[in-house]
Amino acid sequence: MTDSLAADAHAASSVTAEEEILRLAREEPELGQVAVAERLRQAGLRISPSGVRYLWQKHGLETAVKRLQALVEHRGGDAEGLTETQRRHLERGRLSERLARGDAAGGPAEGDQEPLERRRLILDAAARLFSAEGYDRTSIRDIARNVGLLPGSVYHYFPSKRELFLAVHREGFERTLERVKAAATSSDDPWECLERACEVHIEGIVGGSSIDRLAGSNLAISRNDELLQEIRPHRADYEAVFRTLIDALPLRAGTDRSLLRLFLLGGMNWIYLWYREGRRSPHDIAAAMVAMLRHGVQP
C-alpha cells in the first residue's frame, strides 16, 4: 500500500469510515468502490474510492464475491437470505475459483470438469465481453482467455461466436421474461403491474448478471442485421408482455398505445448508458418513469 492510500484511509476518520464500509460490505456487497465512497460522502465521511478499496483489502473483501461469501458466513453459512442475483453472482465466483485452482494446481484434466459448470463460465464471460466491447470486437480467443480455457474448449460447447452470442441472449431473455411475467400479474392495479414490470426490466439492465444486462440493453448495438433477425423472436415475446400491460391501462381516448410502449421500452433500455450505482435504485427509476407517464410533468 502506498503512503497516500494509508493517509487517505486515515483522513476519513478511520474508525467511523471503516465501520461504515464494513457495514455496507455486509448489507450491499455488490456496491462498487465508487458507489461506497459516494454513500460515505453523503453521510459526511470523506474517503476516495481507492481508500475504500484499501480497507476492503485489509479485511479480505476486495471483490464482490468475497463480500458475498463474508455475508453468508456472517449469517452462519445460510445463503437463503441472498437475492437471486446475489446467489448467481456468488455461484459464478465460486465456479471461477474452482476452475482457477484446478488449472494452477494441475487438477483434473479439462475432460473431467463438469460440462454445465464450464458452459456457465463461458456464457458469463461472453456476456461480460459482449457488453463491454461489443459483438464485433470480441473474439472466441478473448472469451477463452477470460475464463482460463483454450479456444478449442469454447468451440466444444458453442460452434461459433454467433451461436454463443445467441445462446447468451436466449438465456437472458428467458430469465428476464419469467420475472417480468410474474411482475405483470402481481396486482389488480394495471399501473402497479406496469411499475413492477419496469422495475424488473431496469434491475436486469443495471443490477443483474452480465447475461441479464446484455439481453435487456439496446440490442441494436451490434449493428449486425443477421444477428438482429435471429434475436427478433425472443424480443417479440418479451415486448408482448409490455404490450399487454399497456393495453390494460385506462388511457385518454386516442392515445397511441403502441407508441407509448415503444417510448417506455426505449427509455428504459437507454438507462445502461447513464446509470450510476448508488444514486437512484431501479425501484425509484421505475416509479418515476411510470408516474410521469401516468400524470405528466406539466404543473
Side-chain angles (χ1 to χ4, degrees):
M1 182 197 70
T2 64
D3 291 341
S4 61
L5 283 183
D8 185 18
H10 180 72
S13 180
S14 59
V15 174
T16 304
E18 188 165 353
E19 289 175 349
E20 184 67 7
I21 288 168
L22 293 177
R23 182 187 68 80
L24 287 173
R26 288 192 303 270
E27 296 179 3
E28 299 184 71
E30 292 169 292
L31 285 180
Q33 61 195 49
V34 174
V36 171
E38 176 63 18
R39 289 284 185 90
L40 266 64
R41 186 193 67 78
Q42 293 173 0
L45 298 170
R46 297 187 60 185
I47 187 169
S48 71
S50 56
V52 172
R53 183 166 181 78
Y54 161 67
L55 290 172
W56 276 347
Q57 289 173 329
K58 175 182 174 182
H59 293 275
L61 300 170
E62 62 270 20
T63 68
V65 171
K66 288 184 178 181
R67 294 192 291 278
L68 284 167
Q69 289 174 331
L71 175 59
V72 170
E73 291 170 3
H74 182 72
R75 294 175 174 175
D78 182 13
E80 290 301 316
L82 299 181
T83 65
E84 181 182 358
T85 298
Q86 288 174 335
R87 285 196 296 271
R88 285 203 193 106
H89 197 146
L90 182 57
E91 179 186 357
R92 290 197 304 273
R94 286 171 172 171
L95 289 178
S96 297
E97 289 175 359
R98 286 170 57 186
L99 181 60
R101 285 198 302 269
D103 287 346
E110 283 195 12
D112 295 329
Q113 295 286 346
E114 286 292 334
L116 290 178
E117 293 183 1
R118 178 88 54 80
R119 188 177 188 277
R120 166 61 48 204
L121 289 173
I122 294 170
L123 283 172
D124 289 335
R128 288 194 301 271
L129 291 172
F130 286 143
S131 294
E133 305 295 336
Y135 176 80
D136 295 326
R137 291 191 299 275
T138 299
S139 69
I140 290 292
R141 186 176 297 278
D142 295 331
I143 295 166
R145 186 185 305 116
N146 193 268
V147 291
L149 297 173
L150 296 174
S153 296
V154 177
Y155 284 118
H156 175 73
Y157 293 93
F158 303 96
S160 66
K161 184 174 75 168
R162 174 178 169 277
E163 291 298 328
L164 178 51
F165 182 82
L166 294 175
V168 169
H169 271 86
R170 185 159 45 246
E171 178 159 337
F173 271 119
E174 288 173 354
R175 291 197 322 214
T176 307
L177 180 60
E178 182 179 349
R179 294 194 294 270
V180 169
K181 281 183 174 179
T185 57
S186 60
S187 172
D188 293 331
D189 181 352
W191 286 105
E192 187 173 343
C193 287
L194 178 63
E195 181 180 322
R196 292 177 182 176
C198 289
E199 181 179 350
V200 170
H201 182 90
I202 295 168
E203 174 65 30
I205 292 175
V206 303
S209 69
S210 298
I211 293 176
D212 296 329
R213 290 195 298 272
L214 185 65
S217 62
N218 182 6
L219 299 178
I221 197 169
S222 68
R223 301 187 183 279
N224 186 310
D225 291 338
E226 183 180 351
L227 286 175
L228 291 177
Q229 288 301 321
E230 293 278 359
I231 293 167
R232 199 175 301 281
H234 303 294
R235 184 172 185 171
D237 289 342
Y238 188 80
E239 290 188 3
V241 178
F242 280 90
R243 183 179 292 107
T244 300
L245 285 166
I246 296 295
D247 287 346
L249 297 176
L251 300 177
R252 187 177 64 238
T255 299
D256 188 330
R257 292 175 185 265
S258 178
L259 187 58
L260 182 63
R261 171 177 53 84
L262 295 172
F263 173 74
L264 178 59
L265 285 170
M268 290 193 294
N269 287 345
W270 271 85
I271 287 174
Y272 80 100
L273 288 176
W274 54 260
Y275 180 80
R276 293 295 179 270
E277 201 173 38
R279 294 185 181 178
R280 290 185 174 186
S281 69
H283 171 77
D284 294 337
I285 296 171
M289 294 181 84
V290 172
M292 284 189 285
L293 281 182
R294 185 176 187 179
H295 303 297
V297 295
Q298 188 175 17

